[in-house]
Amino acid sequence: MKFGHQLKTSLYPEWVFYYLAYDKLKAELKTRLVQNKGRWTEDDETAFAELLEKELDKVYSFQKVKSGEIMRRLQHSKQEVEEIIHSDDAHNEDYALLEEELQHIIADVHDLAKFTRLNYTGFLKIIKKHDKLTHWILRPIFMVRLNSKPFYKENYDALIVKLSSLYDTVRTRGKAHGGDSAAGGSQQAFVRQTTKYWVHPDNITELKLIILKHLPVLVFNPNKEFNPADSAISSVYFDNEEFELYMGRLEKTEGAEALRLRWYGGMDQQQIFVERKTHREDWTGEKSVKARFPIKEKYVNAFLRGEYTMDATIAKMRAEGKKSEKEIAEFEQLAAECQYGILTKNYGPVMRTFYNRTAFQLPGDARVRISLDTELTLIREDNMDGSTRSGDNWRRMDIGIDWPFSQLADEDICRFPYAVLEVKLQTQHGQEPPEWVRELVNSHLVESVPKFSKFIHGVSTLIEHRVKLFPFWYHQMDIDIRKPASKNMSISRPDPSGYSTPANTTSDEDHDMGMTLGDEEEGYQGGARNDYGWVDEEGDEENPLEPSTDWIQRPSHPSSRSSSEHTPLLGGQRRPIKSKNSLISPFRPGAETLRYLFRRTKDRVTHPFGEDEAPNANQTTYLITPPGRKIATLVRVEPKVFFANERTFLSWLQFTVMLGGLALGLLNFGDKVSRVSAGLFTFVALSFMVYALVTYHWRAYKIRNKELGPFDDRIGPTLLCFILLTAMATNFFLQWAYEKKKP
């Protein structure tokens, strides 16, 4: 789809005069080139730059004015809500009117976010078209002008938090939420489900606004003003040079562990959580668990070296008497086991993950919990290649929470192109999840990615040369996950007639994405956060994601010149544009394949909104993995699979033993013809005994290595029937010939 057409079909009609005049600018380019017979002069560049500056002023001014208007409307609604709550004669109609007004505000926030994305993309595209047609490079200078009027950098998180709190108050008619913090978990029979999804940057704001209509944003301290640092979560994952923990988590082996140190907020946080996640297979009857305990930051290095233990903390816990002896014993055991593993297996810092988390949950109700992690960034912490990153410290100190961490080298960082949505349900057996949750996970807003792991993705992306097994979502990183909008999941603007009309509707196609189960439970800031204890993780995910066939193209980024915000827009110099390679070219063979693939993945998003071109339907890319490297597949191997293999072998063995017994009987008690037949049956029995043994070991080997199969035996039964029939026919023929020769 041409961007001009996309802009016309996606804009909000009431704001039509404030959008970028993309078609006008494109026509200006072509008209001047035609008039000058393909030449582009200094006067043309000056006139076009002035048009661009006017459009930028228009867009920036409208976005700033509209954002301020929304804040004032929200503040006014808050005052009205407080008046109604404290009023003695409040009616449902009053709350209904306020809810309608808040729905209008939600629709305006959605449309303003979409307005920002469309205009930002429009500016990038018209600049790209200008540079291509005129051979005058304007992009580096215009990006500086964009940074001086950064309408595209508007962060709506603080607005969404306030809007969520207000909408929840109106929806509940001012009544406080009740319920147990473990609601749904107090029953003996309940099911925990965790599903993970990727969310394209274009859909993040819309997704948040849809969720807050059903669940409020979970705020740990509602009396504290929202601070962006409050949503920041950083974790440092540990492993050794053999990457035992990585392989265990990737292959989902029984008892596989993940070890990390986590903190909430900035680098000045003094409380660090040591967390250990242990995977349990379903056949064990146990649940995967995440256990953690707190430690002061100043003691972390000494703890990792074995110079400091948690004895003082344990003694303090016993003196306070707030924890039971069982809880203290579990705390002590966890700390000792984590420290012992670090010392004996030489675990060290390998990977840091950073993201901002928005959590949605009813206070005191854990039945539905949704978290959305944005600005996900994966950063190397190891010193394995001779580069000093964390050094002797447990984490590197040259970065904090200053996303996008532009000071880091490209080989040390991977900026994940999507947000990660995690839906956690806790329901009783036979109980269906809420209808709106089912619609959400089946909508165009999300892409299901079962078992996605930030740690695994970070290692396979940044340290790919040291591992030989890669996650199954490896191929999805070059796929455009955007889908046509669905009718049943969109932001609606209340209509005076009583009906709700979509704020922006572009398509009625719906893509069905089935819910799957997950096994990892990530903690998030806010709500009830245990300092130490054992948290059950969820069951394994059942349904593998079907690979898509659509591949996305990515633009290459031209180098920028050194400029400042005060650089004039008209200072461009004429110079030829360098030719660019195909954005999706055949992968280079050999050990560099993965490095090439992931390097493109890491550079995919360098700004809040994507610059991706529309996928080329006629272009096909084949994913090639280097020799000796494999993709991990979702194969679950339980003990009953081995037992089934043994039963199959014993069934074959039972048949051969029976056939061998028949042969021995003929050999010992038969005549001359019977002895010949006994030899034939003995050969058949021994042959298939050996065949069954070889087949048994072949299947056992493939099962142990979690290969996909197939394991069916098409040759054995057919060959057995044929040889057995031949032996029986030979027996009948010899007996007939022998009887015929008798006088």
Side-chain angles (χ1 to χ4, degrees):
M1 179 189 296
K2 294 288 187 180
F3 179 76
H5 178 69
Q6 179 187 353
L7 182 62
K8 290 179 181 178
T9 57
S10 302
L11 54 77
Y12 180 43
E14 293 188 10
W15 302 348
V16 64
F17 298 109
Y18 302 100
Y19 284 84
L20 169 71
Y22 180 81
D23 288 339
K24 178 182 177 181
L25 290 171
K26 188 168 68 171
E28 182 74 13
L29 273 175
K30 294 181 178 179
T31 300
R32 289 182 176 273
L33 285 171
V34 170
Q35 290 176 350
N36 297 331
K37 299 181 180 180
R39 293 177 59 253
W40 190 257
T41 65
E42 188 79 27
D43 293 338
D44 294 330
E45 184 72 2
T46 302
F48 186 78
E50 289 177 352
L51 284 177
L52 272 179
E53 188 69 27
K54 289 179 181 179
E55 292 297 315
L56 179 59
D57 286 337
K58 177 182 69 176
V59 171
Y60 174 70
S61 300
F62 177 79
Q63 191 273 339
K64 190 174 181 180
V65 170
K66 196 64 183 178
S67 180
E69 175 195 327
I70 291 175
M71 289 299 298
R72 290 191 296 273
R73 289 167 59 192
L74 189 62
Q75 186 64 31
H76 178 71
S77 298
K78 181 179 179 181
Q79 294 174 359
E80 289 187 338
V81 169
E82 292 175 350
E83 291 175 1
I84 292 177
I85 290 177
H86 294 95
S87 176
D88 297 330
D89 57 348
H91 302 287
N92 282 335
E93 292 78 5
D94 299 326
Y95 284 105
L97 290 174
L98 281 173
E99 185 172 356
E100 182 177 332
E101 173 61 20
L102 289 176
Q103 288 180 357
H104 277 291
I105 295 177
I106 289 174
D108 280 347
V109 173
H110 167 262
D111 290 335
L112 186 59
K114 194 168 186 178
F115 172 89
T116 302
R117 291 195 305 271
L118 285 172
N119 284 287
Y120 182 74
T121 305
F123 277 118
L124 295 181
K125 286 186 175 293
I126 197 64
I127 290 299
K128 180 180 178 182
K129 188 175 290 291
H130 165 276
D131 292 357
K132 179 180 179 180
L133 296 177
T134 67
H135 302 288
W136 285 60
I137 303 302
L138 184 59
R139 176 179 173 127
I141 300 176
F142 187 74
M143 292 305 296
V144 175
R145 300 300 302 151
L146 270 178
N147 288 331
S148 67
K149 298 179 179 180
F151 67 92
Y152 61 95
K153 293 183 179 180
E154 181 72 22
N155 191 319
Y156 298 100
D157 287 347
L159 179 61
I160 288 174
V161 170
K162 295 178 181 179
L163 188 56
S164 168
S165 175
L166 198 57
Y167 192 87
D168 184 59
T169 303
V170 172
R171 183 178 58 233
T172 59
R173 301 306 187 248
K175 298 178 182 179
H177 291 283
D180 182 10
S181 61
S186 57
Q187 304 292 331
Q188 292 298 322
F190 64 90
V191 179
R192 285 193 180 98
Q193 299 177 351
T194 295
T195 55
K196 294 184 179 181
Y197 306 87
W198 290 346
V199 182
H200 194 276
D202 289 355
N203 300 327
I204 290 176
T205 302
E206 182 178 1
L207 182 67
K208 289 181 179 180
L209 293 172
I210 289 175
I211 297 175
L212 70 80
K213 287 189 174 184
H214 304 276
L215 291 176
V217 175
L218 186 61
V219 180
F220 185 64
N221 185 2
N223 298 321
K224 181 178 179 293
E225 188 70 20
F226 176 79
N227 186 347
D230 295 338
S231 62
I233 299 179
S234 303
S235 303
V236 174
Y237 287 85
F238 282 63
D239 209 337
N240 53 27
E241 294 190 0
E242 288 73 35
F243 289 93
E244 294 179 15
L245 299 183
Y246 168 84
M247 293 299 298
R249 297 297 294 187
L250 183 56
E251 295 178 333
K252 292 295 178 184
T253 55
E254 166 58 23
E257 295 181 350
L259 189 65
R260 69 188 179 199
L261 271 63
R262 167 170 289 189
W263 68 97
Y264 301 88
M267 296 289 285
D268 57 344
Q269 289 293 322
Q270 296 302 308
Q271 188 177 53
I272 309 297
F273 292 95
V274 181
E275 299 184 353
R276 184 184 65 184
K277 302 172 73 172
T278 307
H279 173 71
R280 297 296 181 193
E281 292 283 2
D282 286 345
W283 55 264
T284 64
E286 300 180 17
K287 291 290 184 181
S288 298
V289 295
K290 179 181 71 177
R292 69 178 185 177
F293 64 90
I295 184 174
K296 295 292 185 183
E297 195 278 331
K298 60 183 178 181
Y299 298 132
V300 171
N301 284 322
F303 177 82
L304 298 177
R305 293 193 297 264
E307 300 170 0
Y308 175 83
T309 63
M310 303 301 296
D311 294 343
T313 304
I314 294 170
K316 183 179 179 181
M317 291 169 60
R318 285 197 173 98
E320 292 176 348
K322 296 181 180 179
K323 298 291 180 182
S324 66
E325 192 61 34
K326 180 182 178 181
E327 291 175 321
I328 295 175
E330 290 174 342
F331 178 95
E332 184 176 12
Q333 180 182 358
L334 174 63
E337 289 177 354
C338 289
Q339 189 175 46
Y340 179 79
I342 292 171
L343 294 174
T344 57
K345 298 184 179 181
N346 297 319
Y347 293 149
V350 170
M351 186 68 50
R352 179 188 298 195
T353 63
F354 167 84
Y355 48 87
N356 288 302
R357 171 164 290 183
T358 305
F360 300 86
Q361 179 183 340
L362 289 174
D365 190 345
R367 287 174 294 184
V368 181
R369 293 177 291 172
I370 298 179
S371 61
L372 182 64
D373 299 337
T374 56
E375 288 90 42
L376 173 58
T377 310
L378 311 164
I379 303 166
R380 289 188 66 171
E381 291 275 352
D382 65 282
N383 308 309
M384 295 180 185
D385 56 358
S387 300
T388 302
R389 296 182 179 91
S390 59
D392 296 330
N393 196 29
W394 66 276
R395 62 180 176 181
R396 61 193 302 167
M397 300 301 295
D398 56 339
I399 57 172
I401 58 172
D402 49 332
W403 187 86
F405 309 103
S406 54
Q407 69 271 33
L408 294 180
D410 289 341
E411 58 269 16
D412 282 1
I413 186 170
C414 168
R415 298 173 184 90
F416 195 69
Y418 308 122
V420 178
L421 179 75
E422 196 167 358
V423 180
K424 303 171 187 174
L425 300 176
Q426 187 168 291
T427 57
Q428 297 183 24
H429 281 291
Q431 183 180 359
E432 292 292 330
E435 181 64 25
W436 70 270
V437 175
R438 295 176 62 87
E439 291 180 356
L440 179 69
V441 300
N442 286 302
S443 72
H444 67 286
L445 299 173
V446 299
E447 173 82 0
S448 177
V449 188
K451 295 183 181 295
F452 175 73
S453 167
K454 303 177 181 75
F455 166 59
I456 290 175
H457 186 80
V459 173
S460 61
T461 303
L462 295 172
I463 321 179
E464 72 272 17
H465 56 283
R466 298 183 69 96
V467 294
K468 295 184 178 180
L469 191 64
F470 296 86
F472 77 93
W473 60 83
Y474 172 87
H475 72 280
Q476 287 180 262
M477 294 309 301
D478 266 353
I479 297 174
D480 188 356
I481 66 172
R482 288 172 291 188
K483 299 182 282 287
S486 55
K487 275 184 178 180
N488 60 341
M489 189 56 59
S490 60
I491 298 295
S492 299
R493 190 181 297 276
D495 191 77
S497 62
Y499 296 95
S500 295
T501 58
N504 271 298
T505 303
T506 57
S507 175
D508 58 358
E509 294 185 27
D510 185 18
H511 292 248
D512 184 24
M513 302 296 296
M515 285 191 66
T516 52
L517 304 178
D519 85 315
E520 290 195 63
E521 175 162 332
E522 297 280 352
Y524 54 85
Q525 191 198 20
R529 195 172 68 213
N530 294 330
D531 288 347
Y532 32 78
W534 275 250
V535 182
D536 285 343
E537 289 193 342
E538 288 71 14
D540 289 331
E541 295 168 278
E542 298 287 353
N543 301 327
L545 186 67
E546 292 294 331
S548 174
T549 56
D550 298 326
W551 294 77
I552 190 170
Q553 293 184 343
R554 294 182 181 80
S556 56
H557 302 280
S559 57
S560 300
R561 296 181 301 173
S562 176
S563 306
S564 68
E565 293 184 1
H566 302 290
T567 304
L569 184 59
L570 305 178
Q573 297 178 359
R574 189 193 329 196
R575 57 180 178 181
I577 297 180
K578 296 179 180 179
S579 61
K580 300 177 182 178
N581 296 327
S582 173
L583 298 174
I584 299 184
S585 55
F587 295 132
R588 293 174 293 200
E592 289 297 314
T593 298
L594 294 178
R595 186 183 303 277
Y596 174 66
L597 172 68
F598 282 120
R599 187 57 36 77
R600 290 162 58 231
T601 300
K602 288 185 284 186
D603 294 340
R604 177 175 176 181
V605 174
T606 57
H607 46 74
F609 310 115
E611 295 181 47
D612 299 333
E613 299 287 341
N616 186 349
N618 298 323
Q619 192 169 12
T620 303
T621 300
Y622 297 94
L623 186 64
I624 303 173
T625 55
R629 300 187 179 186
K630 299 188 300 181
I631 299 294
T633 52
L634 291 175
V635 179
R636 177 180 298 173
V637 179
E638 299 181 358
K640 64 181 181 181
V641 179
F642 292 97
F643 297 151
N645 187 31
E646 291 178 6
R647 286 195 301 271
T648 304
F649 170 67
L650 292 176
S651 297
W652 279 85
L653 197 62
Q654 181 181 6
F655 175 80
T656 57
V657 169
M658 183 169 55
L659 194 61
L662 175 63
L664 288 176
L666 292 174
L667 182 65
N668 292 325
F669 303 105
D671 53 14
K672 182 178 179 181
V673 174
S674 299
R675 286 193 291 272
V676 174
S677 299
L680 291 175
F681 285 119
T682 301
F683 171 76
V684 172
L686 292 177
S687 298
F688 278 93
M689 187 179 295
V690 173
Y691 175 80
L693 182 63
V694 171
T695 303
Y696 166 75
H697 284 291
W698 169 74
R699 284 176 174 154
Y701 173 80
K702 292 178 76 70
I703 293 171
R704 280 196 303 271
N705 287 277
K706 296 185 177 181
E707 297 185 19
L708 291 176
F711 299 120
D712 57 316
D713 187 359
R714 300 182 180 181
I715 300 176
T718 304
L719 191 62
L720 172 63
C721 292
F722 177 77
I723 295 179
L724 190 59
L725 180 63
T726 303
M728 294 176 64
T730 304
N731 181 32
F732 280 114
F733 175 78
L734 291 175
Q735 188 65 33
W736 175 77
Y738 181 75
E739 292 291 337
K740 190 175 181 180
K741 288 182 180 180
K742 284 184 179 182

